[in-house]
Amino acid sequence: MAADLKFAKTHEWVRPESGGVVTVGISSYAVEALTDLVFMQLPAVGRKVKAGESFGEIESVKAVSDLYAPISGEIVEVNSALPGKLETLGKDPYGEGWVARIKPDNPAEMDGLLDRTSYDALVGSQPH
Amino acid sequence: MNTLTIWWDGAADGPTNMAADECLAAEAERRGSLVLRFYGWSDTTISLGGFQKIGDARQVEAIRGVPLVRRPSGGGAIVHGSDLTYAAAVPKSHPWGASPQVFYDALHGAMVEVLAELGIRAWPHPAGGSTPVSSPKRAPAVTVDRPLHDEAQFFCFDRRASGDLVMAGPAEGTSSKIMGSAQRRLASVVLQHGSLLLRRNTTVGNPACHPAVADLVVGLEVPDEAVLSLAWGRRIARGLGAMLREEDGPFLRGMESEVAAQASRFREEWWTARR
């Protein structure tokens, strides 16, 4: 897992890219917890989202989970191939399994997200 | 001490019930504990899983004209009206909120014990299990854990997932699903819907009409919803090591305006036909 990732408590990851956009995805912990993914709905390109706002949905066997925007901004790109091959989320959640790219309204919001060590501590404390 | 709070609500229409369940999820978050609501339906109603296609529902002749509501939770379509319907909500920080299967298994396992006390043998469908279903016309003979999302698996009770409750079917060597649940996993709370088929719903025809507990037990009277739900609540509380708190009135009391505002979304076409 790349060290430059930041995480939301709702298990989305964020990676800064060149050009001032960030890539967003779902952590391997969340993907493993959901198991057997069957459907996914991506946000529309051009949509403005607020941090913490639901911007997509994913269905595993009998559970629908919201995907929450980890940072405020505009959706500038989505991984439109992902809903057709959801197994990518399990195989490569931090690479080919990316979900969307966001142009942040305020890049400083990244500072409020968890670094890898803090995120690992969070998921390590989750009940099993 | 942990507390499990239970409410018994009367019959309401689909949008009101779905809205009340969303308010129930907020209540679980506020209390930081498991909450459980049992309720009825003012008319036979189809609840559609959050990701099911409205076009699939409209192709099923047997449910044409029956009120339809889209759940926030996943899973397949359910015909309500002769079942025991529940909604349970638990914070994700709770031991039962961390992963989907834990919550299914905890509640379904408690129901297995309640039914056993009544002389009714039911068991959880195993992961990867492949017991032939009771009616070859209803679904493929080989059941799978992963919903196929084809016409044969439009209804929840034609699907099998790990932990679904089944009973021996009418024909030797077959089984019938009698209880299924589905979840909506929100940022910090999990809402789980579920249904125990108590009696066959004769207001709809095949393939919407499924064998129920009353069809599958011989010489036993199926208990009424109130008795069953209280016994189940006690079992759940025992499994949790929690104190059971039965509320005097319905969950909806005092929340009518909040629920009504929330229900408007579930009445609107953009929500019902969103997929």
Side-chain angles (χ1 to χ4, degrees):
Chain A
M1 190 196 304
D4 58 348
L5 295 181
K6 290 284 194 98
F7 294 85
K9 289 178 181 172
T10 45
H11 306 294
E12 293 81 15
W13 57 261
V14 182
R15 182 174 55 226
E17 308 285 2
S18 59
V21 299
V22 298
T23 300
V24 173
I26 308 165
S27 77
S28 59
Y29 172 86
V31 173
E32 283 169 24
L34 288 173
T35 70
D36 293 337
L37 305 176
V38 286
F39 282 118
M40 183 178 201
Q41 180 177 298
L42 297 167
V45 171
R47 178 176 161 186
K48 296 269 194 181
V49 293
K50 292 281 182 198
E53 176 184 334
S54 172
F55 77 133
E57 293 176 315
I58 191 160
E59 182 175 40
S60 56
V61 173
K62 300 211 294 183
V64 175
S65 300
D66 288 274
L67 305 177
Y68 295 95
I71 193 164
S72 305
E74 180 183 346
I75 308 287
V76 293
E77 190 179 355
V78 295
N79 186 354
S80 51
L82 193 58
K85 46 177 190 174
L86 289 171
E87 63 276 11
T88 310
L89 278 169
K91 288 177 183 166
D92 191 11
Y94 304 104
E96 280 191 44
W98 66 279
V99 173
R101 294 205 166 95
I102 296 176
K103 185 176 183 186
D105 291 339
N106 177 13
E109 274 187 355
M110 289 278 287
D111 298 340
L113 298 172
L114 304 173
D115 61 20
R116 180 181 172 180
T117 304
S118 302
Y119 180 71
D120 286 348
L122 173 77
V123 300
S125 68
Q126 300 270 327
H128 294 287
Chain B
M1 187 179 185
N2 283 332
T3 303
L4 164 59
T5 309
I6 296 185
W7 289 269
W8 282 270
D9 283 347
D13 63 18
T16 302
N17 277 331
M18 293 303 101
D21 292 342
E22 287 198 334
C23 292
L24 186 80
E27 187 70 16
E29 193 170 2
R30 194 181 67 76
R31 292 177 182 233
S33 64
L34 177 63
V35 291
L36 184 57
R37 183 176 93 90
F38 296 98
Y39 53 91
W41 301 79
S42 43
D43 291 300
T44 293
T45 301
I46 310 296
S47 76
L48 202 59
F51 262 85
Q52 289 193 282
K53 292 178 181 163
I54 190 73
D56 289 348
R58 288 178 175 154
Q59 284 175 20
V60 182
E61 184 66 34
I63 59 171
R64 194 152 291 169
V66 178
L68 193 146
V69 67
R70 184 181 293 278
R71 299 190 305 267
S73 54
I78 294 178
V79 183
H80 298 283
S82 62
D83 63 327
L84 175 66
T85 310
Y86 78 90
V90 68
K92 279 185 168 173
S93 56
H94 187 280
W96 289 0
S99 74
Q101 197 67 43
V102 170
F103 202 11
Y104 292 139
D105 291 347
L107 299 197
H108 288 192
M111 183 59 81
V112 167
E113 293 175 2
V114 168
L115 293 174
E117 281 188 346
L118 299 168
I120 300 169
R121 183 174 173 265
W123 62 93
H125 182 71
S130 60
T131 310
V133 296
S134 59
S135 168
K137 290 178 188 169
R138 188 177 298 288
V142 176
T143 59
V144 294
D145 281 352
R146 189 181 175 91
L148 298 177
H149 294 277
D150 62 14
E151 192 180 334
Q153 299 212 340
F154 173 72
F155 290 103
C156 165
F157 287 97
D158 287 333
R159 301 178 178 191
R160 297 284 172 90
S162 173
D164 286 343
L165 292 194
V166 298
M167 288 176 63
E172 195 175 338
T174 65
S175 63
S176 279
K177 177 173 169 180
I178 56 159
M179 185 173 189
S181 297
Q183 296 177 2
R184 178 80 186 202
R185 302 185 68 81
L186 298 159
S188 55
V189 67
V190 180
L191 171 65
Q192 180 165 308
H193 279 136
S195 171
L196 174 68
L197 274 186
L198 287 176
R199 294 167 189 84
R200 186 184 288 265
N201 194 321
T202 55
T203 62
V204 292
N206 277 329
C209 182
H210 294 83
V213 173
D215 303 306
L216 301 169
V217 294
V218 179
L220 281 174
E221 193 170 324
V222 177
D224 70 32
E225 287 86 340
V227 171
L228 200 57
S229 54
L230 180 57
W232 191 39
R234 286 177 174 153
R235 281 280 173 179
I236 294 168
R238 192 187 303 174
L240 196 58
M243 183 180 74
L244 183 68
R245 179 176 166 185
E246 301 168 53
E247 291 288 340
D248 285 340
F251 177 71
L252 289 169
R253 187 171 63 190
M255 300 187 68
E256 291 85 353
S257 58
E258 190 180 345
V259 170
Q262 198 102 325
S264 63
R265 178 174 117 242
F266 291 101
R267 295 186 199 287
E268 290 175 14
E269 185 68 4
W270 73 263
W271 170 261
T272 307
R274 69 195 292 247
R275 301 198 198 282

